[in-house]
Amino acid sequence: IGYNVPGGDTRWVVQKYIENPLIINHRKFDFRQWVLVTDWNPLTVWFYDKCYLRFCLADFDIEKLDDPFSHLCNNSIQKDCEGFEDFRDNSMWPSEQFIEYLRDLYGNDLIWYQ
């Protein structure tokens, strides 16, 4: 989705809905990763080496696409979910916690570094 800011530069949001996502504790999540694009030609992108995961507060159910609390991880959506304040502190993982989860699940964290 591209949009113009009057008097400003064009900005872009790039997103793909994953129909069969990895689910942790019955919850969908997304990665939040900071990047900086310093040039378009040649394309030069800098990635901050840490990211975090943000979880939905409702259990994932592909049959309930109209339930934003199980499909959209944005805090602007989740803040309206019943119990948000009670679960807010547990709705995000730093990348280190996700790497530990991968170690527990697969016996190593090699998948993170591939």
Side-chain angles (χ1 to χ4, degrees):
I1 302 168
Y3 60 93
N4 286 319
V5 177
D9 295 329
T10 299
R11 308 215 196 255
W12 294 92
V13 174
V14 179
Q15 189 170 12
K16 160 79 171 93
Y17 188 84
I18 299 172
E19 295 84 4
N20 187 21
L22 175 63
I23 302 296
I24 297 177
N25 299 326
H26 307 286
R27 304 289 168 89
K28 186 176 173 197
F29 63 93
D30 65 16
F31 286 95
R32 293 294 159 157
Q33 175 72 55
W34 292 276
V35 299
L36 173 66
V37 177
T38 57
D39 202 342
W40 294 106
N41 192 9
L43 182 60
T44 307
V45 181
W46 301 86
F47 285 84
Y48 185 67
D49 59 350
K50 295 189 183 216
C51 63
Y52 66 95
L53 281 68
R54 192 169 51 192
F55 290 88
C56 288
L57 296 180
D59 288 355
F60 177 77
D61 185 344
I62 194 66
E63 300 300 321
K64 296 181 180 177
L65 290 175
D66 61 341
D67 179 7
F69 305 124
S70 67
H71 292 277
L72 302 173
C73 302
N74 296 347
N75 280 338
S76 61
I77 301 293
Q78 296 297 317
K79 69 178 173 50
D80 295 326
C81 183
E82 185 177 332
F84 174 74
E85 290 302 326
D86 295 333
F87 296 107
R88 182 181 198 163
D89 291 341
N90 296 320
S91 67
M92 290 192 232
W93 282 4
S95 54
E96 296 85 1
Q97 188 171 353
F98 182 61
I99 292 169
E100 186 62 35
Y101 172 82
L102 293 173
R103 280 190 201 115
D104 291 345
L105 188 63
Y106 297 110
N108 62 60
D109 57 11
L110 296 177
I111 195 168
W112 178 255
Y113 300 104
Q114 294 179 353

